[in-house]
Amino acid sequence: MREKLKALAELQKVDMEAAALRKAADVHPRQIAELERELGAARSAIEAERARVADIERQKLQLEQNITDEKDKVKKWEARLAEQRSTREYSALAREIDIAKKANLTMADELVEITKTLGTAREAVKGKETEFSARQQSLAGRMTELRAKLAEAESQVKQLEGQRAGASAKVDATLLRRYETIRKKKLPALVGVGAGGQCHGCNMNVPPQLYNQLRTSLGTDVCPSCNRIIYAVEALAEPTSK
Ligand SMILES: [Zn+2]
């Protein structure tokens, strides 16, 4: 009886270890996903900044083009001005030239402003890029670490699965079936009954007769309250007299 119990206790030890390992390893994929999200958000922020710079650059180019066009126009008009014979046409053209020159001055002011804005935006992007690449490096390091931990946990679980096959082969078939059924609902499925007859699974007292029987047989039974497989704790206590 006692050997059967010991074999089952061995199996449960492996199962508990694997369960703890799985639970601990479970956080790694979540942490990795979290880090990936963080990195993605930082990257989007940078991309938005870059888009803003590109936008300002386009505006600046457009403005420069407009200024060039206006200047060309003024040049052409000024050349034409000399050919004007009528005073009325002359002064009309002169007024146009004047307006165009003023518009050009306004655009020149705008160009100064936009150049300043562009400089500031470029500096901001540069700063953020430095920040981002440092962040990226540290996150990548952290991810590598987590992936290694995850791989290690997985290989440990695999190893335990191998151990489990060996351990379960040693367990009595009927007992194993019962254990597997309970294990799916609750772990530990095998619990001791301590001094005073208290089940360590549900903390209820088992009937005295059942407790006495467990102590005599050093075997297993079922807790009437929680249905776990029970044994008297002294049955697994080492060293043993039996
Ligand atoms: Zn119980």
Side-chain angles (χ1 to χ4, degrees):
M1 282 304 268
R2 196 162 170 274
E3 289 315 306
K4 283 188 185 177
L5 172 60
K6 272 175 86 177
L8 185 60
E10 255 333 288
L11 174 62
Q12 175 160 275
K13 209 176 115 198
V14 174
D15 282 341
M16 300 279 279
E17 220 176 297
L21 209 54
R22 281 202 189 94
K23 201 176 160 197
D26 217 32
V27 302
H28 298 144
R30 260 181 290 146
Q31 283 174 334
I32 291 170
E34 182 58 42
L35 292 180
E36 270 165 359
R37 254 199 306 280
E38 227 177 275
L39 198 57
R43 191 177 288 127
S44 310
I46 288 255
E47 271 157 16
E49 284 292 322
R50 282 191 193 128
R52 191 172 156 256
V53 167
D55 198 43
I56 299 172
E57 277 168 350
R58 263 194 304 276
Q59 285 176 35
K60 188 178 175 234
L61 273 180
Q62 185 60 55
L63 195 56
E64 282 165 347
Q65 187 59 52
N66 290 349
I67 290 172
T68 309
D69 290 351
E70 281 299 299
K71 276 184 179 160
D72 286 350
K73 208 155 73 182
V74 168
K75 242 182 244 164
K76 260 184 234 156
W77 286 351
E78 276 172 344
R80 226 189 285 160
L81 196 61
E83 300 158 7
Q84 295 307 315
R85 304 231 166 84
S86 108
T87 320
R88 205 165 64 88
E89 277 169 6
Y90 183 93
S91 60
L93 191 54
R95 200 166 53 241
E96 286 298 321
I97 290 171
D98 206 35
I99 291 169
K101 277 182 172 169
K102 272 181 191 152
N104 242 347
L105 281 180
T106 310
M107 285 195 290
D109 286 346
E110 276 173 36
L111 185 60
V112 170
E113 273 313 305
I114 212 163
T115 306
K116 257 192 244 168
T117 310
L118 184 60
T120 313
R122 275 181 182 153
E123 279 304 309
V125 166
K126 224 191 272 172
K128 279 193 176 150
E129 270 171 357
T130 312
E131 218 174 273
F132 176 73
S133 74
R135 184 90 172 282
Q136 191 176 31
Q137 229 165 20
S138 101
L139 286 182
R142 182 98 185 85
M143 274 193 239
T144 309
E145 221 173 86
L146 283 172
R147 287 206 180 94
K149 274 192 194 164
L150 186 62
E152 197 195 319
E154 274 165 0
S155 97
Q156 278 174 328
V157 166
K158 206 161 269 174
Q159 204 182 323
L160 283 172
E161 275 163 6
Q163 273 183 43
R164 178 174 214 280
S168 68
K170 289 181 195 147
V171 180
D172 170 76
T174 313
L175 199 53
L176 183 62
R177 261 200 307 280
R178 188 183 298 161
Y179 170 77
E180 294 292 15
T181 309
I182 302 168
R183 180 172 81 97
K184 276 167 202 147
K185 293 175 221 155
K186 37 198 169 193
L187 200 67
L190 171 73
V191 292
V193 173
Q198 196 184 43
C199 165
H200 287 170
C202 63
N203 293 326
M204 299 291 284
N205 279 333
V206 302
Q209 203 189 335
L210 178 56
Y211 181 41
N212 284 335
Q213 199 182 305
L214 285 174
R215 294 211 299 184
T216 319
S217 70
L218 295 183
T220 59
D221 212 304
V222 174
C223 171
S225 305
C226 68
N227 280 321
R228 288 185 174 91
I229 301 168
I230 49 171
Y231 62 94
V233 287
E234 49 265 55
L236 286 184
E238 303 282 353
T240 178
S241 51
K242 289 216 170 187

